């Protein structure tokens, strides 16, 4: 069958029910599993076509695959889900069928391969929005910014949701008007499904709009959840609140007016439900300043806090006060499950100033339910504080199985506080620090933990202000040479180690120097000095990750996928719950790479 070229457009009325009281939903047996197809791709190389597809979590052990080229059997593949069809012409298409116990399975129609015609890449054409002019007379244009993926129409294939950011987007500390933030949805062939205009009363910048793409109601189709305000216009033209309201002050800040949380339908962008945003801004000064910086620091995520169905996580504040709310979207309604407030009487000063510029989500106590990892503290699945470890705010954050020799997950983060450890590795369940580097008297802004070198067991850790590459297990220096990047990581080549993803290139770490594996052509990174991609995730092909950058003219998203062979066979990373929700929160504030709940290798 061919890739999709149409979408369902069903208009419904705006639901205006506003929920203020927390409510508990009864747990359901077993977590929901996203239904994916094989994600079959054919990537053109100098040797032929590199064909790659997903192994799914439900495939029986030992499943082989028959690979067909235009209906002709090419080979049977075992022990991997990729194959180089040497010498094959570029124009052919492929299908794969699983083979179980020697018998080819024909329980479903075989999908045709998606072709990557541009030497390891393919373009998703975009519809560039027109620019505009602010009330102060400043002209602005648009740049394609952060992206996420979700199966918006339930056919097992991912679509892309893209945030358009105006050229005058601001950090919260900067005054000035901004253009509107826009959200688009695209199929991989470039068909635009809808455009949502968040309106003049949502300021534009990295800390204002964190959007979540996930199937929250269990109907097999993903929704989009995002903070909205008066004048937000849906993909079907519905307007939320007062369309003529303008709450901007003379400095461009929005410190008055209603705030909402809205859920939009993935197929057409129609509003499905809207509720008052929690937490409300209240007294602006209660968040740490009185001009509008810290009050509008937002984070967002997705978590299985009941162990079986996903909830929307919306948060405000982290430098001082931090408030996190969990919402359920069920049967067309938004219901608040719980709210954590660091300033409540049951928490107090010990929980203040713990947040990061991002969050993570993981089941750190192995009870089947997710916790919200919020920098130097963790919130339990029931909304109560799980731990805080007497450290404070930082600019980077990693949660994963970084020390395979010990049970459970770990947290690695640097510190912005000059009197605290420069960076530390801790137990994700208790927050207890396993090892740390002494204070450097500086703001240590960047840090990464990942297995990037086979010469050391488990993950390595490094940061901007600490010399050398450190063992994730004990913090000892294992190489005097740090990687050239302290940014993203990606599984790209065929081994179990991750590679370095920075700006528009991918490098392999080496103790004598990094080796360039890929340089993106005609593309640009996002978010200023953070130099992050639009998205990096395992969205197609085998278990290794793709990277998506915007083209320099903002006319397309360019997807790159590896053509390296691998002897590792494992299910798609997107079928690991921790990794999947990490892809959902990746666009939050200072973007961070996704980590699964396990170690590869």
């Amino acid at each position: 069958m061919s890739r999709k070229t149409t979408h369902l457009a069903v208009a419904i009325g705006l639901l205006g029910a506003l929920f203020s009281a927390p409510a508990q939903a009864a747990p359901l047996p077993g977590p929901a599993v996203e239904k994916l197809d094989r994600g079959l791709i054919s990537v053109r190389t100098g040797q032929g076509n590199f064909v790659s597809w997903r192994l799914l979590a439900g495939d029986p052990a030992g499943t082989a695959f028959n690979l067909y080229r235009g209906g002709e059997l090419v080979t049977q593949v075992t022990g991997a889900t990729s194959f180089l069809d040497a010498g094959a012409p570029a124009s052919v298409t492929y299908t794969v069928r699983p083979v179980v116990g020697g018998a080819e399975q024909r329980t479903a129609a075989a999908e045709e391969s998606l072709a990557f015609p541009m030497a390891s890449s393919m373009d998703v054409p975009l519809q560039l929005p027109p620019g505009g002019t602010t009330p102060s007379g400043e002209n602005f244009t648009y740049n394609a910014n952060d992206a996420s993926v979700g199966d918006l129409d339930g056919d097992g294939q991912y679509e892309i949701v893209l945030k358009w950011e105006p050229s005058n987007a601001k950090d919260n500390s900067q005054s000035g008007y901004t253009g509107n933030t826009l959200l688009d949805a695209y199929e991989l062939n470039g068909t635009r499904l809808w455009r949502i205009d968040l309106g003049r009363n949502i300021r534009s910048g990295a800390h204002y709009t964190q959007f979540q793409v996930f199937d929250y109601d269990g109907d097999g189709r993903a929704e989009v959840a995002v903070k909205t305000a008066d004048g937000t216009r849906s993909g079907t033209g519905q307007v939320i609140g007062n369309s003529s309201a303008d709450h901007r002050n003379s400095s461009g800040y929005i410190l008055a007016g209603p705030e909402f949380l809205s859920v939009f339908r993935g197929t057409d962008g129609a509003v499905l439900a809207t509720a008052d945003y929690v937490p409300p801004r209240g007294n602006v000064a209660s968040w740490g300043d009185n001009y509008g910086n810290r009050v509008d620091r937002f984070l967002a995520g997705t978590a299985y806090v009941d162990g079986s169905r996903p909830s929307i996580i919306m948060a405000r504040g982290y430098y001082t006060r931090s408030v996190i709310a969990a919402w359920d979207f069920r049967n067309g309604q938004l219901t608040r499950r719980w709210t954590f407030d660091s300033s409540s009487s049951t928490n107090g000063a010990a929980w203040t100033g713990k947040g990061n510029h991002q969050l993570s989500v993981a089941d750190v106590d192995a009870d089947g339910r997710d916790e919200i990892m919020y920098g130097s503290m963790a919130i339990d699945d029931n909304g109560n504080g799980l731990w805080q470890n007497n450290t404070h705010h930082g600019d980077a954050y990693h949660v994963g199985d970084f020390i395979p020799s010990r049970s459970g997950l770990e947290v690695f983060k640097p510190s912005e506080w000059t009197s605290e450890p420069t960076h530390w590795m801790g137990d994700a369940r208790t927050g207890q620090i396993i090892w740390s580097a002494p204070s450097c008297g500086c703001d240590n802004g960047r840090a990464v933990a990942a297995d990037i070198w086979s010469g050391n067991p488990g993950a390595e850790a490094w940061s901007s202000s600490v010399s050398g590459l450190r063992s994730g297990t004990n913090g000892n220096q294992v190489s005097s040479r740090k990687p050239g990047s302290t940014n993203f990581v990606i599984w790209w080549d065929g081994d179990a180690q991750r590679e370095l993803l920075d700006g528009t290139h991918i490098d392999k770490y080496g103790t004598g120097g990094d080796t360039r594996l890929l340089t993106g052509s005609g593309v640009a990174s996002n978010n200023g000095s953070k130099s992050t991609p639009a998205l990096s995730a395992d969205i197609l092909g085998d278990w290794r990750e793709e990277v998506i950058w915007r083209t320099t003219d903002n006319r397309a998203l360019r997807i790159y996928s590896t053509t390296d062979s691998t002897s590792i066979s494992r299910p798609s990373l997107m079928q690991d719950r921790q990794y999947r929700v990490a892809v959902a929160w990746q666009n939050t504030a200072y973007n961070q790479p996704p980590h699964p709940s396990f170690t590869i290798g």
Side-chain angles (χ1 to χ4, degrees):
M1 65 181 179
S2 61
R3 292 273 156 175
K4 309 177 302 296
T5 57
T6 60
H7 69 280
L8 179 64
V10 180
I12 69 167
L14 173 63
L15 298 178
L18 304 178
F19 297 86
S20 57
Q24 294 292 335
L28 300 174
V33 177
E34 192 172 34
K35 294 181 180 179
L36 297 175
D37 65 12
R38 293 291 173 187
L40 180 64
I41 58 175
S42 172
V43 184
R44 188 64 180 166
T45 76
Q47 292 77 43
N49 299 324
F50 185 80
V51 189
S52 177
W53 58 94
R54 292 185 184 110
L55 183 68
L56 300 174
D59 289 332
T63 297
F65 291 90
N66 283 342
L67 176 66
Y68 292 88
R69 183 201 312 125
E72 177 185 356
L73 180 64
V74 176
T75 187
Q76 185 173 108
V77 180
T78 60
T81 52
S82 60
F83 179 78
L84 176 61
D85 191 9
S91 59
V92 296
T93 59
Y94 296 86
T95 56
V96 291
R97 289 192 179 275
V99 178
V100 178
E104 183 177 278
Q105 308 298 296
R106 292 184 172 270
T107 55
E111 65 187 270
E112 288 186 355
S113 55
L114 177 67
F116 276 51
M118 301 165 51
S120 301
S121 73
M122 64 165 285
D123 279 3
V124 179
L126 301 176
Q127 296 183 29
L128 179 63
T133 305
T134 68
S136 59
E138 177 189 11
N139 296 324
F140 63 88
T141 57
Y142 277 97
N143 295 312
N145 190 250
D146 296 334
S148 191
V149 293
D151 182 3
L152 301 180
D153 54 10
D155 67 351
Q157 302 168 6
Y158 284 129
E159 286 77 41
I160 296 174
V161 177
L162 172 70
K163 179 172 77 170
W164 288 103
E165 191 171 79
S167 55
N168 59 358
K170 305 292 184 186
D171 183 84
N172 298 50
S173 62
Q174 301 168 341
S175 63
Y177 293 100
T178 73
N180 296 2
T181 298
L182 311 175
L183 296 175
D184 280 2
Y186 293 92
E187 295 180 358
L188 295 185
N189 63 9
T191 299
R192 194 183 80 181
L193 303 181
W194 46 257
R195 172 167 290 166
I196 294 170
D197 184 343
L198 294 180
R200 65 169 70 95
N201 295 307
I202 295 289
R203 205 164 184 247
S204 294
H207 302 289
Y208 294 101
T209 294
Q210 333 301 344
F211 60 97
Q212 294 297 289
V213 183
F214 220 85
D215 177 13
Y216 291 108
D217 60 2
D219 68 352
R221 295 169 293 183
E223 294 80 40
V224 178
V226 67
K227 182 177 179 287
T228 57
D230 278 343
T232 294
R233 187 175 296 274
S234 79
T236 56
Q238 301 155 294
V239 177
I240 294 173
N242 183 352
S243 62
S244 61
D246 188 344
H247 301 297
R248 296 172 292 183
N249 65 23
S250 60
S251 296
Y253 288 102
I254 301 162
L255 305 179
E259 302 174 286
F260 307 116
L261 170 63
S262 296
V263 176
F264 297 88
R265 187 163 50 212
T267 52
D268 60 4
V271 180
L272 296 176
T274 292
D276 283 330
Y277 189 85
V278 175
R281 67 173 68 87
N283 180 4
V284 170
S286 71
W287 300 91
D289 59 64
N290 60 10
Y291 70 97
N293 178 2
R294 295 181 178 185
V295 66
D296 276 357
R297 300 277 179 156
F298 299 101
L299 302 178
T302 295
Y304 289 76
V305 294
D306 70 356
S308 50
R309 296 179 69 175
S311 296
I312 304 164
I313 305 299
M314 288 285 155
R316 184 179 218 141
Y318 40 77
Y319 283 121
T320 52
R321 182 186 177 197
S322 299
V323 183
I324 301 104
W327 295 83
D328 291 341
F329 176 64
R330 311 278 191 264
N331 301 317
Q333 295 185 333
L334 271 168
T335 306
R336 183 157 48 97
R337 177 180 284 268
W338 52 252
T339 302
F340 170 91
D341 190 338
S342 67
S343 296
S344 71
S345 58
T346 57
N347 295 317
W351 296 82
T352 297
K354 303 296 183 181
N356 257 41
H357 284 300
Q358 64 288 130
L359 52 71
S360 186
V361 173
D363 176 13
V364 300
D365 52 10
D367 65 355
R369 299 183 294 271
D370 288 337
E371 281 69 50
I372 313 305
M373 311 300 292
Y374 208 78
S376 292
M377 68 178 182
I379 312 306
D380 206 355
D381 54 76
N382 59 9
N384 296 328
L386 181 63
W387 60 258
Q388 65 84 19
N389 66 0
N390 297 314
T391 64
H392 294 83
H393 171 78
D395 282 3
Y397 203 48
H398 303 271
V399 179
D401 187 11
F402 302 134
I403 311 176
S405 59
R406 68 181 298 276
S407 62
L409 303 173
E410 290 78 39
V411 177
F412 180 68
K413 73 178 287 289
S415 181
E416 193 171 283
W417 284 47
T418 59
S419 60
E420 293 184 353
T422 300
H423 64 216
W424 54 265
M425 181 76 74
D427 185 316
R429 182 180 64 85
T430 65
Q432 180 178 359
I433 294 177
I434 300 168
W435 60 264
S436 65
S439 171
C440 63
C442 62
D443 175 352
N444 189 22
R446 303 286 181 91
V448 182
D451 181 8
I452 61 166
W453 183 45
S454 61
N456 173 69
E460 293 74 50
W462 67 101
S463 69
S464 299
S465 301
V466 178
S467 63
L469 186 68
R470 305 281 164 163
S471 166
T473 301
N474 53 32
N476 293 339
Q477 181 172 296
V478 293
S479 173
S480 60
R481 184 185 174 278
K482 281 195 298 190
S485 165
T486 313
N487 193 9
F488 262 54
V489 287
I490 184 171
W491 275 291
W492 188 258
D493 66 9
D495 60 31
Q497 283 68 50
R498 281 181 120 169
E499 283 64 59
L500 308 169
L501 170 57
D502 185 37
T504 58
H505 55 85
I506 296 173
D507 298 319
K508 182 76 171 176
Y509 172 76
T511 56
D514 297 340
T515 301
R516 181 61 47 86
L517 301 182
L518 175 72
T519 299
S521 175
V523 295
S525 59
N526 290 332
N527 303 314
S529 65
K530 304 302 180 290
S531 298
T532 52
L535 183 72
S536 178
D538 174 21
I539 62 171
L540 293 165
D542 65 22
W543 60 273
R544 291 168 296 175
E545 296 169 296
E546 282 66 45
V547 59
I548 306 177
W549 289 297
R550 62 183 173 96
T551 56
T552 53
D553 62 3
N554 290 294
R555 298 288 179 178
L557 291 176
R558 188 157 291 165
I559 306 175
Y560 283 85
S561 188
T562 185
T563 57
D564 291 345
S565 62
T566 181
S567 60
I568 297 174
S569 178
R570 61 151 296 101
S572 168
L573 296 178
M574 294 294 259
Q575 295 197 302
D576 176 69
R577 190 171 85 188
Q578 180 176 320
Y579 183 93
R580 180 64 186 91
V581 298
V583 172
W585 59 246
Q586 186 181 135
N587 66 77
T588 292
Y590 288 179
N591 305 16
Q592 300 289 286
H595 297 288
S597 63
F598 54 85
T599 298
I600 290 179

